Amino acid sequence: MKKTLCLILVGLLIAGSLFAGGASEATKAAPAKPAGPVEITFWHAMGGVNGEALASMVDEFNKQNEGKIKVKYEFQGNYDDEFAKIQASGGNYPCDIIQVYDIGTRYMIDSGWILPVQEYIEKDKYDISQIEPNIAAYYTVDNTLYSMPFNSSTPLLYYNKTAFEEAGITKVPTCFEDIYEIAEKLKIVNPDGTVKRYGYGMGNYGWFFEQWIGKMGLHYVNNNNGRGKDYATAVEFDTNGGGLQIIKVWDKILKEGISPYLNMGNDDAKAAFISGNVCMIPESTAALKSLLLNVGDKFEIGVAYFPSINRNDVGGVSVGGGSLWMMNTGKQEREDATWEFLKFMVSPEMQAFWNAKTGYFPVTVAAAQTATFKENIAKYPQFQVAIDQLHSSAPQYAGALLSVFSEARQIVQNYIARLANNELDPQATLNGMAKDINKAIETYNLVNY
């Protein structure tokens, strides 16, 4: 991809020199200083209350930088929609900053279209220790931070604390052995044999598969989880034992009626939890605020660490969500303005505001000292569990990097759907996942490396 982009640039330079007719350097006009504020465009994927919070932050930046910098923010749909648009742009730079989900990281690095924020960190002597190390680790390759962490999350286990108390359950589950036991006590069956309430439920979400691999301390792909000197060439979850263990658990909870099949994604799982039809679900930390508001006083929500597959698993969680990327436009004024905007968006005050309004982690360490953060934790103490889980993990469990991660996640979900439909057994499910993802990796690598 980099080679293709270089060829395009060379062609443009040659064409430009011919058009100029060999004009001498002396006759060329010096670049004009921009009249008025430097305008930069920000593509994002935040809708609903998250989008409203983001708009407030950008508006505040524009207010503080009136006459100097103006940020125009443009909603591009969900993560997949936005990612497809930047891929389709072919490096024509339709924006100066783009918010990209975690699984787009390797592609963005490979594209050659971006300017690593590390360059401005060194130029500006920015203290990178301000950023939570377990969050920065995901976006760091070979000691280079490529994008600025912004909306970061990890998965948690949400549970109906009221139902737990009514059933006399005091233990908080930490692994699936616990979940099987507790879910059975919480399950309510109607006289006709239909299930009125399930103890546990979860959506068919590929993110969970990735997280469980990390919780085992294993790698999703080869070459140091895609973070090594060489790029990932194949998955490892089919040979290290992790993938089969996860699929067997998924198969067990569905076949034994521990959980209903709640479709792809996690919207149906959240709806089932809010309605009280399911007592435990795994879901992102970023869902905490909306779950609390939607449940209201129907029952008390408890929060626990994301459960491991096995009791003795020793790995950790990695961050999801997204980060902010600087596009390599070659326009110095716009790139400088972009850097100022990024620093503002991760300032302690803005990250505390973002956390309180959305439920995403404050990516800046000092945000925890702000009054906004302290007030929010006092009101919603469940947030502290998410932060404790983040701090209890380690950078070596940052998670995999893979250029075809979006496609890989969909492949995982498609095969889990076939497992749920009794089309495949666990081993065939694993084999199919690995084969299809490896084919996608091979095709991508042949074209781009």
Side-chain angles (χ1 to χ4, degrees):
M1 189 175 294
K2 291 180 182 177
K3 291 178 182 176
T4 302
L5 182 59
C6 289
L7 290 173
I8 293 170
L9 292 174
V10 169
L12 290 173
L13 288 170
I14 293 171
S17 64
L18 291 172
F19 180 79
S24 69
E25 291 296 324
T27 60
K28 289 181 182 177
K33 249 191 157 181
V38 177
E39 293 193 3
I40 54 178
T41 301
F42 173 29
W43 275 17
H44 72 90
M46 297 282 94
V49 293
N50 292 352
E52 292 170 8
L54 189 73
S56 295
M57 295 166 75
V58 178
D59 289 344
E60 179 61 26
F61 176 83
N62 286 337
K63 180 181 175 183
Q64 292 186 20
N65 291 272
E66 188 173 359
K68 295 183 291 183
I69 304 170
K70 183 177 180 180
V71 179
K72 181 172 67 171
Y73 49 99
E74 298 177 351
F75 177 61
Q76 299 298 324
N78 63 29
Y79 284 135
D80 286 327
D81 294 336
E82 182 189 39
F83 195 58
K85 289 177 183 177
I86 199 64
Q87 288 176 305
S89 74
N92 288 321
Y93 306 114
C95 58
D96 298 274
I97 318 126
I98 182 169
Q99 178 190 33
V100 176
Y101 51 8
D102 56 319
I103 57 175
T105 298
R106 180 81 260 177
Y107 182 92
M108 294 299 289
I109 293 172
D110 292 347
S111 73
W113 304 335
I114 60 95
L115 188 66
V117 297
Q118 188 71 41
E119 293 189 18
Y120 270 86
I121 287 168
E122 294 171 2
K123 186 189 302 185
D124 198 25
K125 295 182 171 56
Y126 182 81
D127 181 10
I128 195 57
S129 68
Q130 298 177 68
I131 306 299
E132 287 277 1
N134 288 344
I135 296 177
Y138 186 88
Y139 302 102
T140 301
V141 181
D142 290 335
N143 298 314
T144 297
L145 182 65
Y146 278 90
S147 60
M148 185 63 82
F150 177 63
N151 57 303
S152 293
S153 60
T154 57
L156 291 168
L157 182 72
Y158 294 88
Y159 64 96
N160 184 329
K161 197 171 183 181
T162 303
F164 269 54
E165 291 171 354
E166 290 172 353
I169 300 167
T170 57
K171 179 168 67 174
V172 176
T174 61
C175 64
F176 271 90
E177 183 182 326
D178 294 338
I179 286 173
Y180 301 149
E181 175 191 343
I182 293 170
E184 184 61 31
K185 294 178 181 178
L186 293 167
K187 189 175 182 179
I188 298 175
V189 180
N190 292 314
D192 63 358
T194 58
V195 179
K196 181 179 180 181
R197 185 181 76 183
Y198 284 91
Y200 178 79
M202 66 180 182
N204 177 1
Y205 193 12
W207 187 43
F208 298 152
F209 184 91
E210 298 151 24
Q211 291 288 341
W212 281 316
I213 291 291
K215 286 281 282 188
M216 293 180 188
L218 301 175
H219 285 173
Y220 187 96
V221 291
N222 64 4
N223 292 331
N224 193 30
N225 229 5
R227 295 175 173 275
K229 181 181 177 183
D230 298 315
Y231 301 101
T233 58
V235 299
E236 268 192 9
F237 63 70
D238 61 333
T239 57
N240 61 23
L244 188 58
Q245 290 183 65
I246 295 166
I247 294 167
K248 283 182 175 179
V249 166
W250 225 312
D251 189 55
K252 178 182 175 70
I253 65 170
L254 294 173
K255 299 294 192 303
E256 296 184 9
I258 296 165
S259 167
Y261 180 67
L262 293 170
N263 302 314
M264 291 191 189
N266 229 28
D267 288 344
D268 289 350
K270 284 187 286 187
F273 181 74
I274 291 166
S275 68
N277 294 330
V278 165
C279 293
M280 294 181 281
I281 62 164
E283 176 55 305
S284 169
T285 53
L288 178 53
K289 189 70 172 284
S290 65
L291 288 175
L292 289 167
L293 293 175
N294 280 287
V295 167
D297 58 3
K298 287 186 287 188
F299 58 85
E300 185 180 355
I301 295 179
V303 177
Y305 285 14
F306 185 65
S308 59
I309 294 294
N310 309 296
R311 192 176 298 282
N312 60 349
D313 287 343
V314 294
V317 293
S318 62
V319 294
S323 62
L324 305 180
W325 294 78
M326 298 178 68
M327 302 303 290
N328 188 16
T329 63
K331 307 293 183 182
Q332 188 71 48
E333 297 87 356
R334 282 162 50 188
E335 290 171 358
D336 290 347
T338 295
W339 174 243
E340 293 304 315
F341 176 66
L342 295 187
K343 287 192 294 182
F344 174 85
M345 295 296 275
V346 298
S347 63
E349 295 77 13
M350 287 298 100
Q351 278 297 297
F353 171 85
W354 178 244
N355 167 250
K357 292 294 183 183
T358 67
Y360 283 109
F361 286 120
V363 302
T364 309
V365 176
Q369 306 306 317
T370 64
T372 300
F373 179 85
K374 291 176 180 178
E375 289 167 8
N376 192 56
I377 283 288
K379 188 174 181 181
Y380 303 112
Q382 294 97 332
F383 277 119
Q384 189 61 50
V385 175
I387 293 167
D388 291 343
Q389 179 181 237
L390 175 70
H391 290 162
S392 69
S393 189
Q396 66 258 39
Y397 307 120
L401 294 182
L402 183 63
S403 290
V404 294
F405 226 146
S406 180
E407 185 177 351
R409 184 175 287 180
Q410 189 60 52
I411 288 169
V412 168
Q413 293 174 179
N414 289 342
Y415 274 95
I416 293 297
R418 295 179 66 185
L419 177 80
N421 202 36
N422 295 315
E423 295 177 32
L424 301 170
D425 64 19
Q427 186 64 56
T429 301
L430 175 73
N431 294 343
M433 282 181 188
K435 180 182 176 182
D436 287 2
I437 295 173
N438 284 341
K439 184 178 179 181
I441 294 172
E442 181 182 8
T443 300
Y444 180 89
N445 289 356
L446 282 172
V447 172
N448 295 283
Y449 300 142

